Amino acid sequence: MITAPLSGSNRGVPGPLPVLDVIRVVTTRDCFAGCDFCDFSRRRSRPETLTQPIPTRRDFLSLPRPDWLRISGGLNAMSQWDDILAMISSLSEQFSVPVQGLSAPEIDWASQVLGISLAQLLDRLKQAGLSVLGPGGADVLDDGLRTELAHWRIDSARWIEIHRIAHARKIPTAAGMMVADFLSLDLMDRHLSRLAPLAAGFHHLELKVLRPNNHPLSRLAPPGLLQILDAVRAIKDRFPDLPIFMRQGAFSPDAQVLLRSAGVDRLVRTLKVVEA
Amino acid sequence: MSVPIVWFPRLRVDSASPQWALRLAESFWDRHEGYGHVVFGESVSPRAIRVPPDRSAAFMVPEPGFRHRRRDDSPKHIGWAGTVEWEVVDVTSAPGDPLENPLDCDRLVLHRRPDLPLGRLESMLSDLLTEVPISRIWLDLTSTGWDAATWLLSRFPQVQLEGVADHELWRLMQIAQWLNRPLWLQDAVHPNPREIPQFPRYLNHLEEGG
């Protein structure tokens, strides 16, 4: 448990967290994985294909300039992976900002759909302009929990393998960890120990707070602030130099001060979600 | 045993009709199996209603023999930048007198000034607890906010929260569970608190299986 004071006085108390502005590009919300903690698992209304033209700079003109672009999507049989690669290439050319995204489960699925190896796919993504892979699909690298909550999601060994191959090809990746009311510190620590061998290749770690949302576990309480702070501290204890990012969510100014004090480096703020 | 976290249900009642005020209070006590602390406002005189002796109540109107609650919006002399409220069992000083010594009161409730940063709030509280060996101090939840209150509850074993509503009890349970502290239902008159059992944790079976 965190016991250290914020500071002995008002001096040195950190202020609100710096923000990383992103525009999210969602390739599809249809996903066969049906993970209990993912809001894609209940989005079945959209057609299972890319039906919109690839976004161009004109689509983003009215928005503030993002710091990053993030690309993510669900797993389904109709995804046009060649189009997604082309979109990444197009966005990368039009924006001089890092393009982050695609999760290990998406990479696993795309390599099967395209019939190419993971290494070949990652090379194509790098060539298209993908700057940072991930962090999706990490959640908690515990196969008992994954079997219970995300049966069709790749297992932890596969997640690790994909990130290891990416690192070998000089593609930095983002690690991830979920913090949820039902996860103990022990379980989160086991997760972090599984990430440890890959640490040198991680660009940052994204801590995902499971909040009530449109997913099957939405009836559970969100994790408490103390649990989130202890999760941050556990990450910093194991990876002191790895930046920690969190989605902005609904953190109060007090919570932001505490998160920063515990070791969170940036809040990720979504300026706009573009459905491709 | 670790220091319990106390759920202290509180209701403020201010009504021009003392009997209606009492009805509201009785309903509140009934909902908490006789527990719960009712603060009657300026419009309710202790003599106008009959509160059973085993019910927890305080009155803003001072009257000898009745628990009295007071308020001071500028208690700088005790090192606090914000309103304090305190309760005394026996009314001995005049109603407008400031709180001279926190040890003299039965319950001390600290309010947070809206512009007070969390770091300053924490250091002020730390200083106050260092200077005054008070065993239990109450933070007003509404002015403090859940995030700051949660943090301070974890930092100082003397700190408890006042004003946790029924529908927010789950948050107190979650904090107690994470800090591995028991949770008690308590008020100002019942000598024995009631322990509130914790919910079982979802996915406990995975934890037990390692």
Side-chain angles (χ1 to χ4, degrees):
Chain A
M1 304 297 168
I2 297 173
T3 53
L6 277 174
S7 79
S9 70
N10 202 25
R11 294 185 304 275
V13 174
L17 279 158
V19 171
L20 183 82
D21 284 325
V22 303
I23 291 178
R24 280 185 68 202
V25 181
V26 180
T27 59
T28 174
R29 291 183 183 271
D30 286 304
C31 184
F32 63 68
C35 305
D36 284 352
F37 43 75
C38 179
D39 61 341
F40 284 5
S41 64
R42 287 203 174 163
R43 301 286 183 106
R44 299 284 182 195
S45 56
R46 283 172 57 80
E48 288 195 344
T49 184
L50 286 168
T51 56
Q52 305 297 319
I54 291 171
T56 65
R57 188 169 186 82
R58 191 179 302 164
D59 296 314
F60 302 99
L61 280 180
S62 60
L63 299 171
R65 183 183 169 76
D67 299 312
W68 282 25
L69 288 166
R70 303 186 81 174
I71 298 171
S72 63
L75 313 180
N76 74 65
M78 301 301 288
S79 288
Q80 303 295 313
W81 281 98
D82 283 325
D83 287 353
I84 292 172
L85 283 161
M87 179 182 70
I88 293 171
S89 185
S90 164
L91 291 174
S92 175
E93 281 174 14
Q94 292 178 62
F95 289 88
S96 53
V97 296
V99 179
Q100 181 209 348
L102 298 183
S103 61
E106 285 173 277
I107 298 298
D108 174 74
W109 179 241
S111 77
Q112 294 180 54
V113 171
L114 293 170
I116 58 177
S117 70
L118 292 171
Q120 287 172 318
L121 174 61
L122 289 165
D123 283 343
R124 285 183 63 181
L125 285 165
K126 185 178 180 184
Q127 198 174 11
L130 187 73
S131 316
V132 177
L133 172 72
D139 317 310
V140 173
L141 296 176
D142 176 276
D143 287 326
L145 184 127
R146 293 172 88 84
T147 303
E148 185 100 3
L149 300 180
H151 186 73
W152 300 105
R153 187 164 279 207
I154 57 173
D155 65 16
S156 40
R158 184 70 167 166
W159 190 94
I160 289 166
E161 181 192 2
I162 290 168
H163 281 252
R164 184 171 283 131
I165 293 170
H167 294 174
R169 313 198 87 70
K170 308 290 184 207
I171 302 172
T173 71
M177 185 166 90
M178 184 166 70
V179 54
D181 180 58
F182 53 83
L183 295 178
S184 67
L185 262 185
D186 282 348
L187 201 51
M188 289 190 275
D189 202 53
R190 285 215 296 275
H191 169 83
L192 294 173
S193 69
R194 300 212 66 184
L195 293 178
L198 299 170
F202 288 139
H203 177 274
H204 66 271
L205 185 148
E206 188 167 315
L207 189 62
K208 175 187 173 185
V209 175
L210 185 69
R211 298 188 186 281
N213 205 335
N214 187 24
H215 54 66
L217 288 181
S218 55
R219 282 167 296 173
L220 295 180
L225 179 63
L226 297 176
Q227 182 180 4
I228 298 171
L229 293 172
D230 280 341
V232 173
R233 183 69 68 192
I235 295 165
K236 275 295 169 196
D237 283 350
R238 196 174 279 271
F239 308 116
D241 301 322
L242 186 62
I244 300 175
F245 291 8
M246 294 184 78
R247 290 196 193 172
Q248 189 175 35
F251 292 119
S252 69
D254 286 340
Q256 289 193 39
V257 166
L258 291 165
L259 289 168
R260 191 169 188 186
S261 175
V264 173
D265 295 276
R266 281 198 149 188
L267 285 185
V268 178
R269 177 171 60 192
T270 301
L271 296 176
K272 172 90 174 170
V273 178
V274 178
E275 308 276 347
Chain B
M1 192 173 97
S2 54
V3 180
I5 288 176
V6 174
W7 181 39
F8 191 91
R10 185 207 61 196
L11 177 71
R12 290 180 183 269
V13 179
D14 213 354
S15 168
S17 163
Q19 292 314 312
W20 177 243
L22 185 60
R23 282 286 299 276
L24 291 174
E26 285 169 340
S27 166
F28 179 72
W29 288 316
D30 288 346
R31 286 205 311 275
H32 300 92
E33 298 187 3
Y35 283 75
H37 190 62
V38 178
V39 179
F40 291 99
E42 302 286 353
S43 61
V44 184
S45 163
R47 291 185 175 278
I49 58 174
R50 185 185 296 273
V51 173
D54 61 347
R55 293 292 181 259
S56 181
F59 294 86
M60 298 303 285
V61 178
E63 183 73 40
F66 292 91
R67 176 182 285 267
H68 175 42
R69 185 159 172 129
R70 292 181 176 184
R71 181 183 178 96
D72 185 348
D73 291 322
S74 184
K76 290 178 182 162
H77 54 285
I78 65 160
W80 190 255
T83 298
V84 296
E85 288 184 290
W86 71 99
E87 290 179 4
V88 289
V89 178
D90 295 314
V91 181
T92 51
S93 56
D97 288 350
L99 175 66
E100 292 298 339
N101 185 351
L103 289 173
D104 290 342
C105 68
D106 190 55
R107 299 183 63 246
L108 180 64
V109 186
L110 306 174
H111 293 243
R112 178 184 185 180
R113 212 176 56 197
D115 59 347
L116 197 64
L118 177 55
R120 180 82 184 110
L121 176 67
E122 181 184 343
S123 63
M124 267 176 42
L125 189 56
S126 176
D127 291 346
L128 181 63
L129 291 170
T130 303
E131 287 171 22
V132 184
I134 196 164
S135 61
R136 190 176 278 180
I137 203 158
W138 300 83
L139 281 182
D140 170 68
L141 178 63
T142 306
S143 58
T144 306
W146 265 110
D147 289 331
T150 301
W151 172 250
L152 297 170
L153 200 57
S154 73
R155 286 275 298 126
F156 303 104
Q158 301 97 321
V159 165
Q160 300 290 348
L161 306 185
E162 191 189 272
V164 177
D166 295 10
H167 68 274
E168 293 179 310
L169 176 60
W170 68 271
R171 301 185 72 150
L172 214 50
M173 295 174 81
Q174 190 180 49
I175 294 166
Q177 194 163 33
W178 191 254
L179 294 175
N180 202 21
R181 288 166 63 176
L183 182 61
W184 286 358
L185 168 63
Q186 204 168 15
D187 59 24
V189 299
H190 286 90
N192 299 317
R194 278 204 184 170
E195 181 150 4
I196 300 174
Q198 284 287 358
F199 291 134
R201 277 181 80 89
Y202 185 64
L203 292 182
N204 251 4
H205 57 293
L206 289 179
E207 294 294 321
E208 287 159 6

